[in-house]
């Protein structure tokens, strides 16, 4: 079996350079890295990864806490993470937490006991809160998508308030005044910010807020269907429904059709996320597009930069959004705005 010294001799570099080329390729020039990889292939060298991890004290494993892998948006975020981690020589340990705090704490403990290097949390909960961490230091974690307001770690988020305001303004410009919002779970910062943006737009347009048009959901197809059905039973039903995610919006469209109404002829429907199904809904869904894969890749890059000493602070990265107008929204019906 060839050794790392054989590789170094074949490539004409030091053993330390071979080690860096294999473990931290970003620190080695392309020319040198190519020589090392050519020598590795020629000699059939296979590094002892366990020994490497033992010497470095690093596992090159990152824990990812996902509230639910059934959510299409999170699946796209994970895809972005996977590619970024692979490109940088790291592996992901994925946990479908279902928002179970005890489970999340157990995975954070893996980082605390050096079984993994760092953690990415996709909901607004700090799994390190119950562990004895040094005060005043940046946590070995990135909080992305649904983020805490005050936490000592990098965060990646969207301006949800501005995005919800933009979509509500779009519906107002189409002449709608009775605009319902099918919101997410009450404890979610996404719900708080998106409802705030919805109300910002109503206030700016001089449209009175109606509590009966604010309906609770949980980001599932079923909750969107139920909400739309019950909103249409109101004495003065809405002419537009803005749903806090696309899955609820698709469920709402089905509920509206089953009640005998047309979308958007009778009722306009808008969503949030721009999942792949949005463009193929019937009718195609007007929505807010978030860069899901970029959420994932940015979170991984920030975490690796933090772990490898290139990031001393806890930056907040705000990603852009786009309003995608499709056929599910149209002018308010005459006499029912």
């Amino acid at each position: 079996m060839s050794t790392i010294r054989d590789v170094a001799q074949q490539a004409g570099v030091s053993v330390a350079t071979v080690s860096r080329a294999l473990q931290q390729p970003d620190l080695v020039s392309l020319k040198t890295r190519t020589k090392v990889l050519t020598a590795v292939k020629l000699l059939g060298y296979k590094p002892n990864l366990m020994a490497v991890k033992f010497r470095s004290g690093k596992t090159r494993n990152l824990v990812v806490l996902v509230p639910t892998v059934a959510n299409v948006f999170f699946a796209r975020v994970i895809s972005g993470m996977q590619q970024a981690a692979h490109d940088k020589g790291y592996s992901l340990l994925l946990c479908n937490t279902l928002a179970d705090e005890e489970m999340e704490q157990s995975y954070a403990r893996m980082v605390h006991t050096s079984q993994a290097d760092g953690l990415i949390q996709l909901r607004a909960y700090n799994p390190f809160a119950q562990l004895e961490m040094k005060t005043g230091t940046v946590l070995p974690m990135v909080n992305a998508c649904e983020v805490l307001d005050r936490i000592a770690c990098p965060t990646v988020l969207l301006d949800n308030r501005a995005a919800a305001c933009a979509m509500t303004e779009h519906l107002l410009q189409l002449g709608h005044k009775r605009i319902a919002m099918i919101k997410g779970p009450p404890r979610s910062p996404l719900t708080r910010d998106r409802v705030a943006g919805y109300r910002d737009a109503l206030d700016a347009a001089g449209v009175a807020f109606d509590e009966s048009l604010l309906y609770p959901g949980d980001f599932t197809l079923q909750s969107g269907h139920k909400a739309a059905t019950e909103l249409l039973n109101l004495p003065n039903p809405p002419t537009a429904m803005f749903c806090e995610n696309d899955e609820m919006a698709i469920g709402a469209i089905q509920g509206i059709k089953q009640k005998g109404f047309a979308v958007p002829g009778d009722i306009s429907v808008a969503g949030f996320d721009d999942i792949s199904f949005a463009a193929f809904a019937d009718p195609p869904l007007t929505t807010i597009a978030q860069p899901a894969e970029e959420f994932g890749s940015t979170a991984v890059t920030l975490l690796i930069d933090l772990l490898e000493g290139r990031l001393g602070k806890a930056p907040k990265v705000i990603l852009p959004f786009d309003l995608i107008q499709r056929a599910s929204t149209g002018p308010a019906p005459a006499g029912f705005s």
Side-chain angles (χ1 to χ4, degrees):
M1 291 179 63
S2 58
T3 68
I4 193 170
R5 294 184 185 279
D6 297 329
V7 174
Q9 185 175 3
Q10 178 69 32
V13 298
S14 68
V15 169
T17 298
V18 174
S19 180
R20 277 195 298 274
L22 297 178
Q23 296 180 56
Q24 296 177 291
D26 293 345
L27 302 182
V28 180
S29 70
L30 177 60
K31 181 179 178 181
T32 300
R33 193 161 69 242
T34 301
K35 287 198 298 183
V36 170
L37 294 177
T38 300
V40 166
K41 186 175 181 180
L42 179 66
L43 296 172
Y45 172 67
K46 292 181 171 55
N48 184 334
L49 296 179
M50 290 301 293
V52 169
K53 291 174 181 178
F54 179 77
R55 287 194 299 270
S56 67
K58 298 293 183 183
T59 67
R60 301 189 77 79
N61 290 330
L62 307 177
V63 172
V64 180
L65 304 182
V66 189
T68 171
V69 295
N71 183 287
V72 179
F73 175 75
F74 284 140
R76 290 176 54 203
V77 174
I78 294 165
S79 177
M81 288 182 183
Q82 185 69 57
Q83 187 61 56
H86 175 76
D87 291 345
K88 296 177 184 298
Y90 281 76
S91 298
L92 300 183
L93 303 176
L94 187 64
C95 179
N96 183 34
T97 69
L98 302 179
D100 184 315
E101 294 182 4
E102 186 175 339
M103 185 183 296
E104 292 177 326
Q105 290 167 21
S106 70
Y107 276 85
R109 201 169 290 111
M110 288 182 64
V111 177
H112 195 46
T113 57
S114 301
Q115 298 174 71
D117 297 341
L119 180 147
I120 298 172
Q121 167 67 295
L122 298 184
R123 78 178 189 100
Y125 172 72
N126 178 10
F128 291 99
Q130 306 301 318
L131 302 175
E132 293 183 5
M133 306 294 289
K134 292 181 180 178
T135 58
T137 60
V138 178
L139 293 171
M141 177 176 102
V142 171
N143 188 195
C145 299
E146 182 184 282
V147 301
L148 293 163
D149 291 328
R150 295 180 181 85
I151 187 169
C153 72
T155 57
V156 187
L157 68 155
L158 195 83
D159 189 338
N160 285 280
R161 184 168 185 164
C165 182
M167 182 59 80
T168 308
E169 287 174 346
H170 165 69
L171 295 170
L172 289 164
Q173 288 163 6
L174 289 171
H176 296 278
K177 298 291 191 296
R178 297 281 297 168
I179 302 171
M181 175 173 246
I182 303 176
K183 60 181 183 175
R187 293 179 58 188
S188 170
L190 301 181
T191 300
R192 177 199 64 202
D193 292 344
R194 292 174 189 176
V195 170
Y198 161 78
R199 296 193 64 167
D200 287 344
L202 295 179
D203 289 345
V207 175
F209 170 70
D210 183 344
E211 186 76 37
S212 71
L213 296 179
L214 201 59
Y215 198 93
D218 62 8
F219 293 143
T220 63
L221 291 162
Q222 293 82 358
S223 69
H225 184 279
K226 180 185 178 192
T229 301
E230 296 196 10
L231 283 164
L232 291 175
N233 288 332
L234 291 173
N236 186 12
T239 63
M241 297 183 190
F242 175 24
C243 305
E244 282 196 26
N245 79 338
D246 290 344
E247 289 191 47
M248 290 196 298
I250 293 169
I253 288 173
Q254 292 306 307
I256 291 166
K257 288 180 177 180
Q258 288 171 6
K259 294 283 282 187
F261 294 96
V263 178
D266 298 315
I267 300 166
S268 289
V269 178
F272 204 112
D273 287 340
D274 196 29
I275 62 175
S276 58
F277 300 123
F280 298 94
D282 183 21
L285 184 64
T286 294
T287 187
I288 295 291
Q290 314 192 59
E293 290 81 5
E294 190 177 348
F295 264 106
S297 61
T298 301
V300 165
T301 299
L302 284 172
L303 183 55
I304 292 173
D305 285 348
L306 178 65
L307 297 173
E308 296 184 356
R310 293 187 292 275
L311 197 65
K313 297 182 179 179
K316 178 182 288 188
V317 179
I318 301 176
L319 298 181
F321 66 85
D322 289 311
L323 195 158
I324 309 297
Q325 186 172 351
R326 298 192 179 104
S328 69
T329 54
F336 290 94
S337 62

